[in-house]
Amino acid sequence: MLALGIAAITVVPFTAPFAWILGTRALRQIDANPGAYSRRDFVVAGRIIGMVATIAYALILLLILYFVLSGPLPRLTWALDTGDPS
């Protein structure tokens, strides 16, 4: 799960929800049979990274949608003004 979480942050953003979901499943299995599994901390870290990445990418997507759907930005004519009246 840690590898999926790291991949979500660095390279492949669509793996973030999978890190979150699979991390939750793995934690349930670890809690059900703690003697059979180790490295619970890695699963927790991957799950948290997956959560953070999922929320971050969702916010970025919402921001992009907002700017696309809100229309063009107003033109800043004062920034283009050269001072020449002609």
Side-chain angles (χ1 to χ4, degrees):
M1 294 321 108
L2 185 60
L4 268 178
I6 292 172
I9 292 286
T10 57
V11 182
V12 192
F14 66 85
T15 62
F18 295 112
W20 186 352
I21 293 167
L22 293 176
T24 302
R25 286 184 189 171
L27 282 178
R28 286 186 192 140
Q29 289 178 355
I30 290 171
D31 292 340
N33 193 0
Y37 302 103
S38 62
R39 298 295 185 185
R40 185 179 199 278
D41 51 344
F42 283 10
V43 175
V44 171
R47 182 174 174 240
I48 290 172
I49 292 172
M51 288 177 183
V52 170
T54 300
I55 292 168
Y57 289 129
L59 289 174
I60 290 169
L61 181 64
L62 288 174
L63 230 97
I64 290 171
L65 285 174
Y66 171 76
F67 284 117
V68 167
L69 297 177
S70 67
L73 295 174
R75 187 169 181 178
L76 301 175
T77 56
W78 59 269
L80 301 174
D81 188 18
T82 60
D84 187 19
S86 58

